[in-house]
Amino acid sequence: DAGVIQSPRHEVTEMGQEVTLRCKPISGHNSLFWYRQTMMRGLELLIYFNNNVPIDDSGMPEDRFSAKMPNASFSTLKIQPSEPRDSAVYFCASSLSNNEQFFGPGTRLTVL
Amino acid sequence: GENVEQHPSTLSVQEGDSAVIKCTYSDSASNYFPWYKQELGKGPQLIIDIRSNVGEKKDQRIAVTLNKTAKHFSLHITETQPEDSAVYFCAERGGGFKTIFGAGTRLFVKA
C-alpha cells in the first residue's frame, strides 16, 4: 500500500515564481484535503474535495492559491505568484467518505 | 466559530510515567474526535479516535476520554517510552468533512 504520495518533497523558489504541489491520494479514497502547517498557525485546512469536487475552499489564503482535482487519483495546489510568507509544509490527506484521514509526507516549501 | 484548544503545548515526562493531553472544543455539533501523532519530518498519523456516543476508548497504552457535556476530551498515554516522543494533535469534526485541529503538544519522554 503506497499511501498518499506528494511531490516534490522539498521546493525552494524565489518570490514571484509559480509553485505547483502535487498529490496522489490512496486508491479508492473519495475525499482529499490540502493542509498548511507553520509554527505560528499550526495545521490549517486550505481546501477539501469530495468526489473530485471542491466542497470548502474557505481556508485558501487568497487568490494567489488555487487547487484542482481533475480526476480521482491526482490533485494540485498552485501558488502564483509565491511570497516568502507562503513558506510552510503543505500536506495532502485522503479519506474514504467521513472516515480516518491519511496524511502524505508533506512538501516543505521555502520561498526566498 | 469552530475552535479547539489544546494543553499543554509542551510536556516532558520520565520514561515509564503517564502523559495526559487535554482539549476543549466549542462546536456542540462535533461528533468525531481523532488524535494524531506527528514525528519529525512526517505527516500526522491517526493513533486513536472516539465518537460522541462513547465516553472512553482504549488501545493498549493509549486511551481517550470524552465529556460531551463539558466539551472536553483527553489523551492518556501510560508507561511512556522514548519512541512516544512526538507532537500530538487533537481534532474535532462535526457533521461534514471539515476537521479542526488543536495547536499540538510536543511530548518529550526522557530515558
Side-chain angles (χ1 to χ4, degrees), chain B residues 28-46:
Chain B
S28 299
S30 299
N31 57 20
Y32 176 64
F33 305 89
W35 285 89
Y36 287 83
K37 175 183 181 182
Q38 186 176 22
E39 297 176 329
L40 195 62
K42 297 183 179 180
Q45 183 176 24
L46 183 78

Side-chain angles (χ1 to χ4, degrees), chain A residues 38-58:
Chain A
T38 61
M39 288 295 292
M40 291 298 295
R41 300 175 68 90
L43 199 58
E44 302 173 278
L45 177 67
L46 301 178
I47 185 171
Y48 67 88
F49 296 83
N50 188 43
N51 293 323
N52 312 339
V53 176
I55 302 300
D56 185 347
D57 65 354
S58 60

Side-chain angles (χ1 to χ4, degrees), chain A residues 64-77:
Chain A
R64 297 185 297 107
F65 285 69
S66 62
K68 294 182 180 180
M69 191 163 186
N71 57 62
S73 59
F74 184 65
S75 177
T76 59
L77 178 67

Side-chain angles (χ1 to χ4, degrees), chain A residues 9 31 33 35 37 39 42-43 45 48 50 56 58 91 95 97-101 103-105, chain B residues 32 36 38 41-46 49 51 89 93-99 101-103 106:
Chain A
R9 292 296 310 277
S31 296
F33 308 80
Y35 291 89
Q37 186 175 41
M39 288 295 292
L43 199 58
L45 177 67
Y48 67 88
N50 188 43
D56 185 347
S58 60
F91 288 103
S95 72
S97 296
N98 226 6
N99 296 308
E100 172 189 355
Q101 292 184 26
F103 282 76
Chain B
Y32 176 64
Y36 287 83
Q38 186 176 22
K42 297 183 179 180
Q45 183 176 24
L46 183 78
D49 56 12
R51 297 190 184 269
F89 293 94
R93 190 181 70 205
F97 291 87
K98 189 169 185 176
T99 300
F101 286 82
R106 188 172 296 277

